[in-house]
Short mmCIF file of all heavy atoms in Angstrom, two decimals:
data_model
loop_
_atom_site.label_atom_id
_atom_site.label_comp_id
_atom_site.label_asym_id
_atom_site.label_seq_id
_atom_site.Cartn_x
_atom_site.Cartn_y
_atom_site.Cartn_z
N MET A 1128 131.46 177.51 70.03
CA MET A 1128 130.52 178.56 69.61
C MET A 1128 129.86 179.16 70.85
O MET A 1128 129.31 178.43 71.67
CB MET A 1128 129.45 177.94 68.69
CG MET A 1128 128.64 178.97 67.94
SD MET A 1128 127.46 178.21 66.80
CE MET A 1128 128.57 177.65 65.50
N PRO A 1129 129.92 180.45 71.00
CA PRO A 1129 129.38 181.07 72.21
C PRO A 1129 127.86 181.08 72.24
O PRO A 1129 127.21 181.01 71.21
CB PRO A 1129 129.93 182.50 72.16
CG PRO A 1129 130.16 182.76 70.72
CD PRO A 1129 130.53 181.44 70.10
N THR A 1130 127.35 181.20 73.42
CA THR A 1130 125.92 181.27 73.62
C THR A 1130 125.50 182.71 73.90
O THR A 1130 126.14 183.39 74.69
CB THR A 1130 125.50 180.42 74.83
OG1 THR A 1130 125.97 179.09 74.64
CG2 THR A 1130 124.00 180.38 75.00
N TYR A 1131 124.49 183.15 73.22
CA TYR A 1131 123.98 184.49 73.44
C TYR A 1131 122.53 184.41 73.87
O TYR A 1131 121.76 183.63 73.33
CB TYR A 1131 124.07 185.33 72.16
CG TYR A 1131 125.49 185.59 71.71
CD1 TYR A 1131 126.10 184.75 70.80
CD2 TYR A 1131 126.19 186.67 72.22
CE1 TYR A 1131 127.40 184.98 70.38
CE2 TYR A 1131 127.50 186.91 71.82
CZ TYR A 1131 128.10 186.06 70.90
OH TYR A 1131 129.37 186.30 70.49
N THR A 1132 122.20 185.23 74.84
CA THR A 1132 120.80 185.33 75.25
C THR A 1132 120.30 186.73 74.89
O THR A 1132 120.96 187.72 75.17
CB THR A 1132 120.67 185.09 76.76
OG1 THR A 1132 121.16 183.79 77.07
CG2 THR A 1132 119.20 185.19 77.19
N PHE A 1133 119.15 186.76 74.26
CA PHE A 1133 118.57 188.03 73.85
C PHE A 1133 117.15 188.15 74.37
O PHE A 1133 116.50 187.16 74.66
CB PHE A 1133 118.51 188.13 72.32
CG PHE A 1133 119.84 188.05 71.65
CD1 PHE A 1133 120.22 186.89 71.00
CD2 PHE A 1133 120.71 189.12 71.69
CE1 PHE A 1133 121.46 186.80 70.38
CE2 PHE A 1133 121.95 189.04 71.08
CZ PHE A 1133 122.33 187.88 70.42
N ARG A 1134 116.70 189.41 74.46
CA ARG A 1134 115.29 189.65 74.71
C ARG A 1134 114.75 190.44 73.53
O ARG A 1134 115.29 191.49 73.17
CB ARG A 1134 115.09 190.44 76.01
CG ARG A 1134 113.61 190.64 76.34
CD ARG A 1134 113.38 191.45 77.60
NE ARG A 1134 113.96 190.79 78.77
CZ ARG A 1134 114.98 191.28 79.45
NH1 ARG A 1134 115.53 192.42 79.09
NH2 ARG A 1134 115.46 190.63 80.49
N CYS A 1135 113.73 189.91 72.94
CA CYS A 1135 113.15 190.53 71.77
C CYS A 1135 112.50 191.87 72.15
O CYS A 1135 111.72 191.93 73.10
CB CYS A 1135 112.11 189.60 71.15
SG CYS A 1135 111.27 190.32 69.72
N GLU A 1136 112.83 192.91 71.42
CA GLU A 1136 112.25 194.22 71.72
C GLU A 1136 110.85 194.35 71.13
O GLU A 1136 110.14 195.30 71.41
CB GLU A 1136 113.16 195.33 71.18
CG GLU A 1136 114.48 195.38 71.91
CD GLU A 1136 115.33 196.56 71.46
OE1 GLU A 1136 114.97 197.21 70.47
OE2 GLU A 1136 116.37 196.81 72.10
N ASN A 1137 110.49 193.42 70.31
CA ASN A 1137 109.17 193.47 69.69
C ASN A 1137 108.11 192.76 70.53
O ASN A 1137 107.06 193.30 70.82
CB ASN A 1137 109.23 192.83 68.30
CG ASN A 1137 107.92 192.98 67.55
OD1 ASN A 1137 107.37 194.07 67.47
ND2 ASN A 1137 107.42 191.88 67.01
N CYS A 1138 108.42 191.54 70.96
CA CYS A 1138 107.42 190.77 71.69
C CYS A 1138 107.85 190.40 73.10
O CYS A 1138 107.07 189.88 73.87
CB CYS A 1138 107.06 189.50 70.90
SG CYS A 1138 108.34 188.23 70.92
N GLY A 1139 109.10 190.68 73.43
CA GLY A 1139 109.55 190.42 74.79
C GLY A 1139 110.04 189.01 75.03
O GLY A 1139 110.42 188.66 76.15
N GLU A 1140 110.04 188.21 74.01
CA GLU A 1140 110.51 186.84 74.14
C GLU A 1140 111.99 186.82 74.50
O GLU A 1140 112.78 187.57 73.93
CB GLU A 1140 110.28 186.10 72.81
CG GLU A 1140 110.85 184.70 72.76
CD GLU A 1140 109.96 183.71 73.48
OE1 GLU A 1140 108.91 184.10 74.00
OE2 GLU A 1140 110.31 182.52 73.53
N GLU A 1141 112.33 185.99 75.44
CA GLU A 1141 113.74 185.82 75.80
C GLU A 1141 114.21 184.49 75.25
O GLU A 1141 113.58 183.47 75.46
CB GLU A 1141 113.89 185.85 77.33
CG GLU A 1141 115.27 186.26 77.77
CD GLU A 1141 115.34 186.50 79.28
OE1 GLU A 1141 114.92 187.58 79.73
OE2 GLU A 1141 115.80 185.60 79.99
N TYR A 1142 115.32 184.54 74.52
CA TYR A 1142 115.76 183.31 73.88
C TYR A 1142 117.28 183.25 73.86
O TYR A 1142 117.98 184.24 73.86
CB TYR A 1142 115.20 183.20 72.47
CG TYR A 1142 115.50 184.37 71.56
CD1 TYR A 1142 116.55 184.32 70.65
CD2 TYR A 1142 114.71 185.52 71.61
CE1 TYR A 1142 116.81 185.40 69.82
CE2 TYR A 1142 114.97 186.60 70.79
CZ TYR A 1142 116.02 186.54 69.88
OH TYR A 1142 116.29 187.59 69.07
N THR A 1143 117.74 182.03 73.87
CA THR A 1143 119.17 181.78 73.87
C THR A 1143 119.54 181.09 72.57
O THR A 1143 118.83 180.21 72.11
CB THR A 1143 119.56 180.89 75.06
OG1 THR A 1143 119.17 181.54 76.26
CG2 THR A 1143 121.06 180.64 75.08
N THR A 1144 120.64 181.51 71.99
CA THR A 1144 121.03 180.92 70.73
C THR A 1144 122.54 180.74 70.67
O THR A 1144 123.29 181.45 71.32
CB THR A 1144 120.55 181.80 69.55
OG1 THR A 1144 120.83 181.13 68.33
CG2 THR A 1144 121.24 183.14 69.56
N PHE A 1145 122.94 179.77 69.90
CA PHE A 1145 124.36 179.57 69.64
C PHE A 1145 124.67 180.23 68.31
O PHE A 1145 124.05 179.94 67.30
CB PHE A 1145 124.70 178.09 69.54
CG PHE A 1145 124.52 177.34 70.83
CD1 PHE A 1145 123.35 176.67 71.10
CD2 PHE A 1145 125.54 177.33 71.77
CE1 PHE A 1145 123.19 175.98 72.29
CE2 PHE A 1145 125.39 176.63 72.96
CZ PHE A 1145 124.21 175.96 73.22
N THR A 1146 125.62 181.13 68.32
CA THR A 1146 126.00 181.75 67.06
C THR A 1146 127.38 182.38 67.21
O THR A 1146 127.91 182.50 68.30
CB THR A 1146 124.97 182.81 66.63
OG1 THR A 1146 125.26 183.23 65.31
CG2 THR A 1146 125.01 184.02 67.54
N PHE A 1147 127.92 182.77 66.10
CA PHE A 1147 129.17 183.52 66.14
C PHE A 1147 128.84 185.00 66.31
O PHE A 1147 127.78 185.47 65.89
CB PHE A 1147 129.97 183.30 64.86
CG PHE A 1147 130.48 181.91 64.72
CD1 PHE A 1147 129.92 181.04 63.80
CD2 PHE A 1147 131.51 181.45 65.53
CE1 PHE A 1147 130.39 179.74 63.67
CE2 PHE A 1147 131.98 180.16 65.41
CZ PHE A 1147 131.42 179.30 64.47
N TYR A 1148 129.79 185.72 66.88
CA TYR A 1148 129.56 187.14 67.14
C TYR A 1148 129.21 187.88 65.86
O TYR A 1148 128.36 188.76 65.84
CB TYR A 1148 130.80 187.76 67.80
CG TYR A 1148 130.57 189.20 68.18
CD1 TYR A 1148 129.83 189.51 69.32
CD2 TYR A 1148 131.08 190.24 67.42
CE1 TYR A 1148 129.59 190.82 69.69
CE2 TYR A 1148 130.86 191.56 67.77
CZ TYR A 1148 130.11 191.84 68.91
OH TYR A 1148 129.89 193.15 69.26
N SER A 1149 129.85 187.51 64.78
CA SER A 1149 129.62 188.19 63.51
C SER A 1149 128.22 187.93 62.95
O SER A 1149 127.76 188.63 62.07
CB SER A 1149 130.67 187.75 62.48
OG SER A 1149 130.63 186.36 62.31
N LYS A 1150 127.57 186.91 63.50
CA LYS A 1150 126.24 186.54 63.01
C LYS A 1150 125.12 187.01 63.93
O LYS A 1150 123.95 186.76 63.66
CB LYS A 1150 126.15 185.01 62.87
CG LYS A 1150 127.15 184.43 61.91
CD LYS A 1150 126.70 184.61 60.48
CE LYS A 1150 127.64 183.84 59.54
NZ LYS A 1150 127.24 184.01 58.13
N VAL A 1151 125.52 187.67 65.02
CA VAL A 1151 124.53 188.06 66.03
C VAL A 1151 123.42 188.92 65.44
O VAL A 1151 122.25 188.76 65.78
CB VAL A 1151 125.24 188.80 67.19
CG1 VAL A 1151 124.26 189.65 67.98
CG2 VAL A 1151 125.90 187.79 68.13
N GLU A 1152 123.79 189.82 64.54
CA GLU A 1152 122.78 190.72 63.98
C GLU A 1152 121.74 189.97 63.16
O GLU A 1152 120.66 190.47 62.91
CB GLU A 1152 123.46 191.79 63.12
CG GLU A 1152 124.21 192.81 63.95
CD GLU A 1152 124.68 193.98 63.08
OE1 GLU A 1152 124.33 194.00 61.90
OE2 GLU A 1152 125.40 194.84 63.60
N GLU A 1153 122.09 188.78 62.73
CA GLU A 1153 121.16 188.03 61.89
C GLU A 1153 120.21 187.15 62.71
O GLU A 1153 119.30 186.54 62.16
CB GLU A 1153 121.94 187.14 60.92
CG GLU A 1153 122.79 187.95 59.96
CD GLU A 1153 123.65 187.05 59.08
OE1 GLU A 1153 123.31 185.87 58.93
OE2 GLU A 1153 124.67 187.53 58.58
N VAL A 1154 120.46 187.10 64.00
CA VAL A 1154 119.62 186.26 64.84
C VAL A 1154 118.22 186.85 64.94
O VAL A 1154 118.05 188.03 65.21
CB VAL A 1154 120.23 186.13 66.25
CG1 VAL A 1154 119.29 185.37 67.18
CG2 VAL A 1154 121.58 185.43 66.17
N LYS A 1155 117.25 186.00 64.70
CA LYS A 1155 115.85 186.44 64.76
C LYS A 1155 115.16 185.83 65.96
O LYS A 1155 115.48 184.73 66.39
CB LYS A 1155 115.11 186.01 63.49
CG LYS A 1155 115.62 186.66 62.23
CD LYS A 1155 114.85 186.10 61.03
CE LYS A 1155 115.41 186.66 59.72
NZ LYS A 1155 114.73 186.07 58.56
N CYS A 1156 114.18 186.55 66.42
CA CYS A 1156 113.34 186.05 67.50
C CYS A 1156 112.57 184.82 67.02
O CYS A 1156 111.95 184.86 65.96
CB CYS A 1156 112.36 187.14 67.93
SG CYS A 1156 111.09 186.57 69.07
N PRO A 1157 112.64 183.74 67.78
CA PRO A 1157 111.92 182.52 67.36
C PRO A 1157 110.41 182.67 67.47
O PRO A 1157 109.65 181.89 66.90
CB PRO A 1157 112.44 181.46 68.34
CG PRO A 1157 112.85 182.23 69.55
CD PRO A 1157 113.35 183.57 69.03
N GLN A 1158 110.00 183.68 68.20
CA GLN A 1158 108.57 183.88 68.44
C GLN A 1158 107.93 184.69 67.31
O GLN A 1158 106.90 184.34 66.78
CB GLN A 1158 108.39 184.62 69.78
CG GLN A 1158 106.98 184.64 70.30
CD GLN A 1158 106.57 183.33 70.94
OE1 GLN A 1158 107.37 182.43 71.10
NE2 GLN A 1158 105.31 183.21 71.30
N CYS A 1159 108.57 185.81 66.96
CA CYS A 1159 107.94 186.72 66.00
C CYS A 1159 108.83 187.01 64.79
O CYS A 1159 108.39 187.62 63.83
CB CYS A 1159 107.57 188.04 66.69
SG CYS A 1159 109.00 189.04 67.16
N GLY A 1160 110.07 186.59 64.84
CA GLY A 1160 110.94 186.77 63.69
C GLY A 1160 111.64 188.11 63.62
O GLY A 1160 112.35 188.41 62.67
N SER A 1161 111.46 188.93 64.65
CA SER A 1161 112.08 190.25 64.65
C SER A 1161 113.57 190.16 64.96
O SER A 1161 114.00 189.34 65.76
CB SER A 1161 111.39 191.14 65.70
OG SER A 1161 112.09 192.36 65.84
N LYS A 1162 114.33 191.03 64.33
CA LYS A 1162 115.75 191.10 64.63
C LYS A 1162 116.05 192.17 65.68
O LYS A 1162 117.19 192.34 66.09
CB LYS A 1162 116.55 191.41 63.36
CG LYS A 1162 116.56 190.27 62.35
CD LYS A 1162 117.43 190.65 61.15
CE LYS A 1162 117.43 189.52 60.11
NZ LYS A 1162 118.23 189.89 58.92
N GLU A 1163 115.02 192.90 66.08
CA GLU A 1163 115.20 193.91 67.11
C GLU A 1163 115.28 193.21 68.46
O GLU A 1163 114.33 192.59 68.90
CB GLU A 1163 114.03 194.91 67.10
CG GLU A 1163 113.88 195.66 65.79
CD GLU A 1163 115.12 196.47 65.46
OE1 GLU A 1163 115.64 197.15 66.35
OE2 GLU A 1163 115.57 196.41 64.31
N LYS A 1164 116.46 193.34 69.09
CA LYS A 1164 116.66 192.60 70.32
C LYS A 1164 117.74 193.27 71.14
O LYS A 1164 118.55 194.04 70.63
CB LYS A 1164 117.08 191.16 70.01
CG LYS A 1164 118.35 191.10 69.15
CD LYS A 1164 118.57 189.72 68.61
CE LYS A 1164 119.77 189.64 67.68
NZ LYS A 1164 119.66 190.57 66.53
N GLU A 1165 117.75 192.95 72.41
CA GLU A 1165 118.82 193.43 73.25
C GLU A 1165 119.50 192.24 73.89
O GLU A 1165 118.87 191.22 74.19
CB GLU A 1165 118.31 194.41 74.31
CG GLU A 1165 117.33 193.80 75.29
CD GLU A 1165 116.94 194.77 76.38
OE1 GLU A 1165 117.39 195.92 76.34
OE2 GLU A 1165 116.19 194.37 77.28
N ARG A 1166 120.77 192.39 74.09
CA ARG A 1166 121.56 191.33 74.68
C ARG A 1166 121.22 191.23 76.16
O ARG A 1166 121.14 192.22 76.86
CB ARG A 1166 123.05 191.64 74.50
CG ARG A 1166 123.99 190.61 75.10
CD ARG A 1166 124.27 189.50 74.13
NE ARG A 1166 125.05 188.46 74.77
CZ ARG A 1166 126.38 188.44 74.81
NH1 ARG A 1166 127.07 189.39 74.24
NH2 ARG A 1166 127.02 187.46 75.41
N VAL A 1167 121.06 190.01 76.62
CA VAL A 1167 120.83 189.76 78.04
C VAL A 1167 122.06 189.09 78.60
O VAL A 1167 122.49 188.04 78.11
CB VAL A 1167 119.59 188.86 78.25
CG1 VAL A 1167 119.41 188.54 79.72
CG2 VAL A 1167 118.34 189.53 77.69
N TYR A 1168 122.62 189.72 79.58
CA TYR A 1168 123.79 189.14 80.24
C TYR A 1168 123.33 188.42 81.49
O TYR A 1168 122.94 189.03 82.47
CB TYR A 1168 124.80 190.23 80.58
CG TYR A 1168 125.39 190.87 79.36
CD1 TYR A 1168 124.83 192.01 78.82
CD2 TYR A 1168 126.51 190.31 78.74
CE1 TYR A 1168 125.35 192.60 77.68
CE2 TYR A 1168 127.04 190.89 77.61
CZ TYR A 1168 126.46 192.04 77.08
OH TYR A 1168 126.99 192.61 75.96
N LYS A 1169 123.39 187.14 81.40
CA LYS A 1169 122.95 186.35 82.54
C LYS A 1169 124.12 186.09 83.48
O LYS A 1169 125.20 185.74 83.05
CB LYS A 1169 122.39 185.00 82.06
CG LYS A 1169 121.02 185.11 81.44
CD LYS A 1169 120.44 183.71 81.29
CE LYS A 1169 119.05 183.76 80.68
NZ LYS A 1169 118.11 184.51 81.49
N LYS A 1170 123.84 186.30 84.75
CA LYS A 1170 124.83 185.92 85.74
C LYS A 1170 124.81 184.41 85.87
O LYS A 1170 123.75 183.80 85.98
CB LYS A 1170 124.50 186.56 87.10
CG LYS A 1170 125.15 187.91 87.28
CD LYS A 1170 125.08 188.33 88.75
CE LYS A 1170 125.92 189.57 88.98
NZ LYS A 1170 125.90 189.98 90.39
N VAL A 1171 125.97 183.85 85.86
CA VAL A 1171 126.05 182.40 85.99
C VAL A 1171 125.78 182.04 87.45
O VAL A 1171 126.50 182.45 88.34
CB VAL A 1171 127.43 181.90 85.57
CG1 VAL A 1171 127.48 180.38 85.67
CG2 VAL A 1171 127.75 182.36 84.16
N SER A 1172 124.73 181.32 87.64
CA SER A 1172 124.40 180.92 88.99
C SER A 1172 124.35 179.40 89.08
O SER A 1172 124.02 178.72 88.12
CB SER A 1172 123.04 181.50 89.41
OG SER A 1172 122.02 181.01 88.57
N PHE A 1173 124.73 178.94 90.23
CA PHE A 1173 124.75 177.50 90.42
C PHE A 1173 123.91 177.14 91.63
O PHE A 1173 124.17 177.58 92.73
CB PHE A 1173 126.19 177.01 90.63
CG PHE A 1173 127.05 177.24 89.43
CD1 PHE A 1173 127.78 178.40 89.30
CD2 PHE A 1173 127.10 176.29 88.42
CE1 PHE A 1173 128.57 178.63 88.18
CE2 PHE A 1173 127.88 176.51 87.30
CZ PHE A 1173 128.63 177.67 87.18
N SER A 1174 122.91 176.36 91.39
CA SER A 1174 122.12 175.89 92.50
C SER A 1174 122.62 174.52 92.90
O SER A 1174 122.80 173.63 92.07
CB SER A 1174 120.64 175.82 92.10
OG SER A 1174 120.48 174.97 90.99
N VAL A 1175 122.87 174.41 94.17
CA VAL A 1175 123.36 173.13 94.67
C VAL A 1175 122.17 172.21 94.90
O VAL A 1175 121.30 172.50 95.70
CB VAL A 1175 124.14 173.33 95.98
CG1 VAL A 1175 124.65 171.98 96.49
CG2 VAL A 1175 125.30 174.28 95.76
N GLN A 1176 122.16 171.14 94.18
CA GLN A 1176 121.05 170.20 94.31
C GLN A 1176 121.55 168.91 94.95
O GLN A 1176 122.60 168.40 94.59
CB GLN A 1176 120.44 169.90 92.94
CG GLN A 1176 119.79 171.14 92.32
CD GLN A 1176 119.17 170.85 90.96
OE1 GLN A 1176 119.52 169.86 90.34
NE2 GLN A 1176 118.28 171.72 90.51
N GLY A 1177 120.77 168.44 95.88
CA GLY A 1177 121.12 167.19 96.54
C GLY A 1177 122.27 167.34 97.52
O GLY A 1177 122.79 166.35 98.00
N GLY A 1178 122.67 168.58 97.79
CA GLY A 1178 123.69 168.82 98.81
C GLY A 1178 125.10 168.56 98.34
O GLY A 1178 126.05 168.73 99.08
N SER A 1179 125.27 168.17 97.10
CA SER A 1179 126.62 167.92 96.62
C SER A 1179 127.26 169.23 96.16
O SER A 1179 126.59 170.15 95.72
CB SER A 1179 126.59 166.91 95.47
OG SER A 1179 125.83 167.41 94.40
N SER A 1180 128.55 169.28 96.23
CA SER A 1180 129.24 170.48 95.80
C SER A 1180 129.20 170.57 94.28
O SER A 1180 129.13 169.56 93.58
CB SER A 1180 130.68 170.47 96.28
OG SER A 1180 131.38 169.38 95.71
N THR A 1181 129.23 171.78 93.80
CA THR A 1181 129.16 171.96 92.37
C THR A 1181 130.35 172.77 91.89
O THR A 1181 130.95 173.52 92.64
CB THR A 1181 127.84 172.68 91.98
OG1 THR A 1181 127.78 172.77 90.56
CG2 THR A 1181 127.79 174.07 92.56
N SER A 1182 130.68 172.57 90.67
CA SER A 1182 131.82 173.28 90.10
C SER A 1182 131.48 173.77 88.71
O SER A 1182 130.76 173.13 87.97
CB SER A 1182 133.03 172.35 90.03
OG SER A 1182 134.06 172.96 89.28
N CYS A 1183 132.01 174.92 88.38
CA CYS A 1183 131.70 175.49 87.08
C CYS A 1183 132.77 175.15 86.06
O CYS A 1183 132.65 175.47 84.89
CB CYS A 1183 131.55 176.99 87.19
SG CYS A 1183 133.12 177.81 87.45
N GLY A 1184 133.86 174.59 86.50
CA GLY A 1184 134.95 174.33 85.57
C GLY A 1184 135.92 175.48 85.47
O GLY A 1184 136.72 175.55 84.56
N GLY A 1185 135.85 176.40 86.42
CA GLY A 1185 136.84 177.46 86.48
C GLY A 1185 136.48 178.73 85.76
O GLY A 1185 137.33 179.56 85.51
N SER A 1186 135.21 178.92 85.42
CA SER A 1186 134.86 180.09 84.64
C SER A 1186 134.11 181.17 85.41
O SER A 1186 133.98 182.27 84.94
CB SER A 1186 134.04 179.68 83.42
OG SER A 1186 132.85 179.06 83.81
N CYS A 1187 133.63 180.85 86.59
CA CYS A 1187 132.81 181.86 87.28
C CYS A 1187 133.57 182.64 88.34
O CYS A 1187 133.22 183.75 88.67
CB CYS A 1187 131.57 181.23 87.91
SG CYS A 1187 131.82 180.43 89.50
N GLY A 1188 134.63 182.06 88.86
CA GLY A 1188 135.42 182.76 89.85
C GLY A 1188 134.81 182.83 91.22
O GLY A 1188 135.35 183.47 92.10
N GLY A 1189 133.66 182.21 91.39
CA GLY A 1189 132.99 182.33 92.67
C GLY A 1189 132.62 181.03 93.35
O GLY A 1189 132.26 181.03 94.52
N CYS A 1190 132.71 179.94 92.63
CA CYS A 1190 132.26 178.68 93.22
C CYS A 1190 133.44 177.91 93.80
O CYS A 1190 134.59 178.33 93.69
CB CYS A 1190 131.53 177.82 92.18
SG CYS A 1190 132.62 177.11 90.96
N SER A 1191 133.13 176.78 94.39
CA SER A 1191 134.18 176.00 95.03
C SER A 1191 135.21 175.51 94.03
O SER A 1191 136.38 175.34 94.34
CB SER A 1191 133.56 174.82 95.77
OG SER A 1191 132.84 173.99 94.86
N GLY A 1192 134.78 175.30 92.81
CA GLY A 1192 135.70 174.80 91.79
C GLY A 1192 136.71 175.83 91.34
O GLY A 1192 137.75 175.52 90.79
N CYS A 1193 136.39 177.11 91.58
CA CYS A 1193 137.27 178.17 91.15
C CYS A 1193 138.29 178.53 92.23
O CYS A 1193 139.25 179.23 91.96
CB CYS A 1193 136.48 179.41 90.78
SG CYS A 1193 135.52 179.21 89.27
N GLY A 1194 138.01 178.11 93.42
CA GLY A 1194 138.94 178.39 94.50
C GLY A 1194 139.06 179.87 94.78
O GLY A 1194 140.13 180.36 95.01
ZN1 ZN B 177 109.87 188.54 69.24
#
């Protein structure tokens, strides 16, 4: 199930939810309950913690794991 991040156009709350694409329109803001929202496309970023190398599993195309 894909993850979607939205920003509520009513109260500005940013929230992430798991849902199917066909159900996206039914997603409500957890803060105010509004369905008015815009999709937020988050860039996948990886912070290296503790100096160890990190890998995304081949989905970002930019990290050491993607080669
Ligand atoms: Zn809201």
Side-chain angles (χ1 to χ4, degrees):
M1128 194 177 286
T1130 304
Y1131 295 93
T1132 301
F1133 299 105
R1134 183 182 299 114
C1135 177
E1136 293 185 351
N1137 186 49
C1138 73
E1140 174 78 1
E1141 204 171 281
Y1142 55 98
T1143 301
T1144 186
F1145 294 95
T1146 189
F1147 292 108
Y1148 184 77
S1149 58
K1150 299 281 188 181
V1151 159
E1152 288 189 5
E1153 297 175 22
V1154 174
K1155 296 177 184 177
C1156 170
Q1158 193 78 6
C1159 69
S1161 172
K1162 291 183 181 178
E1163 299 300 314
K1164 58 193 176 302
E1165 63 175 2
R1166 179 87 186 272
V1167 177
Y1168 294 93
K1169 285 192 179 299
K1170 270 194 171 181
V1171 182
S1172 62
F1173 296 92
S1174 57
V1175 180
Q1176 295 181 341
S1179 60
S1180 63
T1181 183
S1182 170
C1183 72
S1186 61
C1187 81
C1190 73
S1191 59
C1193 290

